[in-house]
Amino acid sequence: MHSLNSPAVDLKSLIRTTLTHNRVGSGRRVIQCVNVNSSSTPATGVSFGSGQVGRARYEWQSACAILASKVESQQQDTEKSADGVSVVNGHPTLDLVPVKDRSTSPAALPKPLSIADLSPAPTHGAQLRVAYQGVPGAYSEAAAGKAYPNCEAIPCDQFEVAFQAVELWIADRAVLPVENSLGGSIHRNYDLLLRHRLHIVGEVQLPVHHCLLALPGVRKEYLTRVISHPQALSQCEHTLTKMGLNVIREAVDDTAGAAEYIAINDLRDTAAIASARAAELYGMQILADGIQDDSGNVTRFVMLAREPIIPRNDRPFKTSIVFAHDKGTSVLFKVLSAFAFRNISLTKIESRPHRHRPIRLVDDANVGTAKHFEYMFYVDFEASMADVRAQNALAEVQEFTSFLRVLGSYPMDMTPWTPSSSAAGD
């Protein structure tokens, strides 16, 4: 190894010499950095070219590494194998087909991507990570399995956690309920759809079949409390009354979580309203089967993703939007007429108070100042954003609204379903 005790040393030549004498195997090198002891380095430092290298060890190492990479790059550019083929890092490069030869063989060229290639079928989902609210055995888990068969279902303790799981790339999709045929809309998720930037990429409708669960050996007359999700309690309210149960009804976060809570705490005076799968998972017995008040009990779930899907016209599509306007509900008719004049069917309209501007003041000289709620309107309509009618309708809607956002344009759930068995006591 050379010494750098003199500032006149040619560092570039030294590194090139080091590279030449330190070959390992065929086409490989070990790059060694020359180090300078700061105690023996002149105060002026070592100069080469127009730059200066300081006395600290890390400065020498940086300078050596830069020069070494330049030398290595120059040698690779000029290095050739015995047969004249260029070699990079000891491996022969692959020659590209010249442009003039490509024109003679068009069949060998790659096919350009089309819109169909960029938009996967909505039935895909194997190996996807799908977030849902609740614990294993929840109806949302069943909806995730129906939406994406063979997926990895990820339970979340809150709706907002499921949104964040997708946003933070912990999950690929989220499947969350938005409305039930008996209990109505799940307003929390409508608010979260506006707060977060996820896109609706599909929907799934799941028939809900409620069961009354208790620990093994517990009889109905021993019960003093029934716990479940508020929606489940409301969906079974009349049936519980008909069963003659004099119990306190207490709301918890989710149906399967109610069964889990009873099993963990060995509560022998408490029952849960949950699915038959929850009974199997948590070792519960089914005291009553099918206790929903209406056999046509269906919950609609939406599938959420970070990116929207490309809308199509080859299958029934639904589009969800949210809008607001500055002139109260007086222009709502004009907004909705944009769809009616184009024969676009609305499947849902939901109003929610405007979070940032809840009150609108209207001055009237005779009666003073009137105060009205400001609303956000959620609308679902049966058309794809690829449909010119939908595009023109939204262009007209924009003229009357102060805010408009497309939440998603996605395939409708066209799978057939059968109602749950008749409710107990009917």
Side-chain angles (χ1 to χ4, degrees):
M1 183 70 68
H2 294 271
S3 174
L4 291 181
N5 292 329
S6 171
V9 111
D10 187 350
L11 186 59
K12 187 181 298 186
S13 301
L14 175 61
I15 295 176
R16 183 178 292 108
T17 303
T18 304
L19 292 172
T20 305
H21 292 288
N22 287 280
R23 296 178 180 271
V24 179
S26 175
R28 298 183 58 190
R29 296 173 179 84
V30 175
I31 299 177
Q32 296 181 350
C33 184
V34 181
N35 194 17
V36 176
N37 190 332
S38 58
S39 61
S40 60
T41 306
T44 57
V46 176
S47 63
F48 57 94
S50 60
Q52 291 289 331
V53 178
R55 293 170 295 175
R57 173 174 300 184
Y58 71 90
E59 293 177 335
W60 282 105
Q61 292 175 336
S62 299
C64 291
I66 293 172
L67 287 179
S69 63
K70 291 182 179 179
V71 172
E72 182 78 358
S73 176
Q74 293 173 357
Q75 291 187 355
Q76 287 179 356
D77 292 341
T78 59
E79 186 177 10
K80 296 287 184 177
S81 62
D83 55 358
V85 179
S86 300
V87 176
V88 175
N89 290 335
H91 300 282
T93 60
L94 297 178
D95 292 331
L96 299 179
V97 178
V99 175
K100 61 181 181 180
D101 294 339
R102 292 183 182 182
S103 59
T104 60
S105 57
L109 296 178
K111 180 182 177 181
L113 292 176
S114 65
I115 291 181
D117 297 321
L118 298 176
S119 181
T123 56
H124 74 292
Q127 305 304 316
L128 285 179
R129 298 164 298 174
V130 181
Y132 69 93
Q133 189 274 330
V135 298
Y139 294 105
S140 293
E141 183 194 34
K146 181 178 180 181
Y148 299 104
N150 303 320
C151 70
E152 177 188 352
I154 302 176
C156 303
D157 61 352
Q158 300 177 32
F159 289 129
E160 186 157 12
V161 174
F163 277 85
Q164 294 176 350
V166 179
E167 290 177 331
L168 299 176
W169 295 76
I170 299 172
D172 303 301
R173 302 286 188 274
V175 175
L176 298 171
V178 291
E179 59 182 330
N180 177 264
S181 58
L182 300 182
S185 298
I186 292 89
H187 296 129
R188 175 62 175 164
N189 283 333
Y190 276 99
D191 293 339
L192 291 173
L193 281 172
L194 187 59
R195 181 182 303 176
H196 295 268
R197 300 299 299 180
L198 298 183
H199 302 269
I200 303 177
V201 296
E203 67 173 0
V204 60
Q205 297 176 357
L206 184 74
V208 177
H209 188 85
H210 289 309
C211 301
L212 186 66
L213 312 181
L215 292 175
V218 174
R219 300 171 59 180
K220 287 187 290 186
E221 51 266 28
Y222 297 158
L223 299 176
T224 61
R225 182 174 60 159
V226 173
I227 62 176
S228 191
H229 189 274
Q231 287 274 344
L233 291 174
S234 65
Q235 294 164 17
C236 303
E237 180 179 1
H238 298 301
T239 302
L240 292 177
T241 302
K242 291 179 181 179
M243 294 173 63
L245 295 178
N246 185 19
V247 294
I248 298 173
R249 300 167 190 181
E250 183 178 324
V252 294
D253 289 340
D254 61 276
T255 55
E260 181 186 38
Y261 177 76
I262 293 174
I264 292 177
N265 295 279
D266 195 26
L267 303 177
R268 307 195 68 82
D269 62 343
T270 305
I273 297 176
S275 65
R277 170 169 163 76
E280 178 183 352
L281 289 176
Y282 303 109
M284 309 281 284
Q285 65 170 332
I286 298 177
L287 297 179
D289 192 11
I291 63 172
Q292 59 274 356
D293 294 336
D294 193 328
S295 59
N297 186 10
V298 182
T299 298
R300 175 173 170 251
F301 295 79
V302 292
M303 297 119 76
L304 305 176
R306 289 179 293 273
E307 301 292 337
I309 62 172
I310 297 178
R312 299 180 176 184
N313 277 325
D314 59 348
R315 67 196 67 185
F317 258 67
K318 182 184 292 185
T319 301
S320 298
I321 65 173
V322 57
F323 64 86
H325 45 77
D326 296 328
K327 299 181 180 180
T329 57
S330 59
V331 301
L332 183 58
F333 171 78
K334 296 179 182 178
V335 171
L336 299 182
S337 64
F339 300 100
F341 291 158
R342 294 172 175 84
N343 294 320
I344 298 177
S345 300
L346 302 184
T347 59
K348 181 178 178 62
I349 179 169
E350 176 84 15
S351 63
R352 296 287 294 153
H354 200 306
R355 294 177 60 90
H356 302 292
R357 292 187 304 168
I359 297 294
R360 177 172 56 91
L361 302 180
V362 179
D363 292 328
D364 192 309
N366 296 324
V367 298
T369 300
K371 300 178 180 64
H372 301 288
F373 265 36
E374 286 280 15
Y375 291 96
M376 306 290 294
F377 293 91
Y378 294 81
V379 172
D380 294 345
F381 59 87
E382 292 184 348
S384 169
M385 283 302 299
D387 191 335
V388 177
R389 296 179 306 150
Q391 298 170 11
N392 292 333
L394 291 186
E396 183 176 341
V397 168
Q398 278 188 308
E399 298 179 4
F400 304 104
T401 59
S402 59
F403 168 77
L404 173 64
R405 176 179 160 191
V406 177
L407 298 174
S409 188
Y410 48 92
M412 296 175 59
D413 184 4
M414 305 298 292
T415 58
W417 66 278
T418 56
S420 301
S421 60
S422 298
D426 291 347

